[in-house]
Amino acid sequence: MKSSTPLISFIYTLVVVTYGAPPPSDFRGLNTGKIVGGVEADRHEFKFLVDIRLQNIHLCGGSIVTPEWVVTAAHCAHSAPSGYTLSAGEHNINVTEGTEQVRQVTQINIHPNYLSYQYENDIALMRVSPPFEFNEYVQPVVIPNVNFAPTTLATVTGWGSISEGGGSPPNDNLMKVVVPFVDDVTCQRNHYGEIAPSMVCYGEAGKDSCHGDSGSPLLCGDNQTLCGIVSWGEGCARPNLFRVYTETSFFSEWIRSSTIKFEEDSNPAQFITTCGARIDASSAEITFQLGASIPAGQKCVWVVKTRYDSVRFRLSSSGLGENDGLYLTNFAHSEPGTQKRMTSVGQNYTVASGFVLVTLSIGSAPSSGFRLEFFSSGFSDQTRDFSEFARFTTNTGRLSYPIDGGITRPNEDALFVINPTMSAVRTLRLTRMDVETDTDPSCRYDAVTIYDWFDNQYRHLDRRCGYSLPPSFTLESGLGLVTFQSDSGVGGTGFDFEWV
């Protein structure tokens, strides 16, 4: 794990720890100072720069992408949206100059692959309301293309410290400094191999960003392209310990797709006819045995992950009987949530996307099939994908996890669906357990969780960690879910389970 620190405002941490977070009216952007080794920026030289405040105290910087969206570092965005305000059109953040636009944050999208323990994919988007109004003081930043090459020199700007220990200049004006590019080999060597491909290094002794500059822009070229976002480092402006930035070009498509609204497809993009599937698409049509017979007791599960953050389901045709069910279950944070039964042709149901389990449950008599469509729209969905996924249709089977051996990884979120072709009562057994232990029986860190389909819903059976093996579990309908989640800490050699 890195011993370095992100560059959020030191004064924010000090004030909150010592006195508690102040009410918004008590402060106007307290901060610790400026960029190290730089000069004062021209007024409104960086029209896209915003002052990110948490409880009205300067915390980080950010860059305007669209009137509604600002990009910053993920480690600047861990609190609830209601705690943040963003101020554009700033120069001196402790003086009201008449050019400011202050907005409330209403939504935060942290990159789904952000790894907090090593600052990898350290990027987030904040949505504001009302939108910023572009004028001579406030404008959007230029987002680089995916193949953008870092320039030899770049400019970093912000309201951070002028030295590693803090230190404030006479005023609180925006500062800037020009820093040189550092090649990957040199940066890797000096940071002990902790530089990911999505990071880029700039800096030299005496010139650097510092505490309070996190999330602020690194700018390349005359058009001020956002080539980096201040992320982490060891100290400030130390010799041979260069500043590490999130390399924005790695995330250009993510930024664009997350800040532009998309409309529904005019027609389904995929067509599924199997009993169960994993579906990753902006839209799809599930047509199963429409006009044909489905055996009594049949169960099928389709795991749906849509591209955008709102998804509309529509039952367009159905031969299902009153004792059959077609259910839509939100599946967030590796557990089943709200559920809706689709019963009538023409029925629509819209949910926030992420993962949705579409479960068909046929009653005690044979039935006919159905056609279900879904269409997603809105902004890009930010739900993190499963770290591992498998769907088993065999009547008996066994899984050893991790599948390739070794130890479990940090921040895992795995799902295994047991959906045998033949419907019958089955027994599920955990046959090996080596999952991080916890003195709390709720297993707060790493855990294996088991659900079965019972009484037309997913029923929680157990949540386990440690080494001991529990009694066997009965899957009343033969359909079950096994999930595994891990935190960012210690891993074990995993677990085995079987169903018979």
Side-chain angles (χ1 to χ4, degrees):
M1 183 176 291
K2 291 182 172 67
S3 59
S4 54
T5 58
L7 302 180
I8 59 174
S9 173
F10 172 77
I11 195 89
Y12 173 80
T13 305
L14 179 64
V15 170
V16 171
V17 169
T18 307
Y19 302 107
S25 60
D26 288 357
F27 291 91
R28 173 143 165 72
L30 289 179
N31 79 102
T32 58
K34 306 295 164 222
I35 289 280
V36 177
V39 298
E40 183 177 338
D42 294 338
R43 286 185 176 273
H44 312 297
E45 181 178 357
F46 307 104
K47 303 177 191 299
F48 42 79
L49 183 63
V50 299
D51 173 22
I52 297 179
R53 304 169 185 172
L54 184 58
Q55 303 299 340
N56 216 34
I57 303 172
H58 170 74
L59 180 72
C60 292
S63 302
I64 297 173
V65 180
T66 72
E68 287 187 278
W69 292 95
V70 166
V71 65
T72 186
H75 72 260
C76 294
H78 285 308
S79 296
S82 59
Y84 292 98
T85 52
L86 309 187
S87 183
E90 290 276 9
H91 185 72
N92 186 316
I93 59 173
N94 281 334
V95 174
T96 300
E97 300 169 304
T99 58
E100 301 89 349
Q101 296 183 33
V102 180
R103 300 292 187 262
Q104 177 65 50
V105 174
T106 59
Q107 180 181 342
I108 294 175
N109 292 342
I110 292 176
H111 193 277
N113 296 325
Y114 170 56
L115 300 177
S116 59
Y117 63 96
Q118 61 188 32
Y119 310 125
E120 190 169 351
N121 306 309
D122 187 14
I123 187 169
L125 290 162
M126 292 182 169
R127 190 178 185 185
V128 298
S129 181
F132 288 114
E133 297 179 8
F134 291 160
N135 57 26
E136 60 183 304
Y137 309 110
V138 178
Q139 289 290 320
V141 75
V142 176
I143 301 298
N145 294 322
V146 293
N147 57 354
F148 183 88
T151 54
T152 302
L153 296 174
T155 300
V156 61
T157 182
W159 289 280
S161 299
I162 61 170
S163 64
E164 186 172 324
S168 297
N171 55 44
D172 297 293
N173 294 327
L174 181 65
M175 301 290 280
K176 66 179 181 179
V177 65
V178 176
V179 288
F181 172 73
V182 179
D183 65 87
D184 290 347
V185 173
T186 302
C187 201
Q188 283 279 13
R189 181 175 63 247
N190 289 14
H191 283 294
Y192 310 103
E194 296 177 327
I195 307 303
S198 58
M199 300 175 184
V200 65
C201 299
Y202 276 82
E204 63 182 341
K207 292 185 176 182
D208 199 0
S209 50
C210 200
H211 310 298
D213 287 323
S214 279
S216 295
L218 176 77
L219 304 162
C220 291
D222 293 338
N223 65 346
Q224 299 181 338
T225 296
L226 182 66
C227 52
I229 296 169
V230 179
S231 183
W232 64 276
E234 299 187 36
C236 300
R238 295 184 187 181
N240 299 319
L241 287 176
F242 312 106
R243 182 63 51 209
V244 183
Y245 298 82
T246 299
E247 190 166 3
T248 320
S249 60
F250 272 73
F251 305 97
S252 296
E253 291 308 313
W254 178 77
I255 293 170
R256 290 189 176 98
S257 66
S258 300
T259 56
I260 299 172
K261 275 191 173 182
F262 292 84
E263 300 299 324
E264 289 185 356
D265 296 335
S266 55
N267 294 294
Q270 288 188 16
F271 297 88
I272 310 298
T273 59
T274 56
C275 174
R278 167 76 188 269
I279 308 173
D280 292 85
S282 57
S283 60
E285 176 186 286
I286 303 171
T287 302
F288 182 65
Q289 295 295 93
L290 188 62
S293 179
I294 304 176
Q298 178 76 62
K299 305 290 186 292
C300 303
V301 181
W302 295 266
V303 180
V304 173
K305 171 72 166 66
T306 59
R307 186 171 299 172
Y308 307 120
D309 62 6
S310 177
V311 56
R312 177 177 65 88
F313 288 87
R314 179 176 182 272
L315 186 61
S316 56
S317 186
S318 177
L320 300 175
E322 62 178 14
N323 294 321
D324 309 321
L326 185 62
Y327 300 90
L328 309 179
T329 307
N330 284 84
F331 194 76
H333 310 296
S334 282
E335 61 182 35
T338 57
Q339 182 169 285
K340 176 73 172 180
R341 184 182 182 187
M342 304 296 283
T343 56
S344 57
V345 172
Q347 178 183 1
N348 286 272
Y349 179 59
T350 301
V351 297
S353 60
F355 288 99
V356 178
L357 305 183
V358 178
T359 307
L360 172 66
S361 180
I362 301 298
S364 57
S367 189
S368 186
F370 67 93
R371 179 181 293 119
L372 178 73
E373 303 167 329
F374 70 81
F375 299 89
S376 65
S377 60
F379 295 106
S380 178
D381 180 52
Q382 302 299 313
T383 305
R384 185 180 178 186
D385 201 358
F386 296 120
S387 55
E388 194 73 47
F389 173 83
R391 189 176 67 90
F392 304 103
T393 59
T394 55
N395 293 321
T396 63
R398 184 177 186 274
L399 176 76
S400 182
Y401 192 78
I403 293 172
D404 297 325
I407 63 172
T408 57
R409 303 181 302 257
N411 300 310
E412 289 215 53
D413 190 359
L415 172 65
F416 306 103
V417 179
I418 301 170
N419 185 192
T421 303
M422 292 181 58
S423 178
V425 176
R426 282 176 174 78
T427 298
L428 177 71
R429 288 192 288 261
L430 286 167
T431 57
R432 181 181 67 89
M433 282 287 293
D434 180 14
V435 174
E436 183 180 3
T437 58
D438 185 5
T439 55
D440 191 309
S442 67
C443 296
R444 297 164 296 178
Y445 310 124
D446 299 359
V448 177
T449 308
I450 298 170
Y451 302 88
D452 78 330
W453 181 258
F454 178 75
D455 196 21
N456 291 323
Q457 61 184 334
Y458 289 100
R459 175 178 62 172
H460 180 274
L461 294 181
D462 200 7
R463 180 176 172 89
R464 306 291 297 191
C465 54
Y467 305 98
S468 62
L469 298 177
S472 299
F473 304 100
T474 299
L475 305 181
E476 298 288 351
S477 66
L479 172 60
L481 308 175
V482 178
T483 70
F484 173 68
Q485 288 180 290
S486 64
D487 64 3
S488 60
V490 178
T493 61
F495 58 95
D496 297 352
F497 67 87
E498 63 182 14
W499 64 99
V500 295

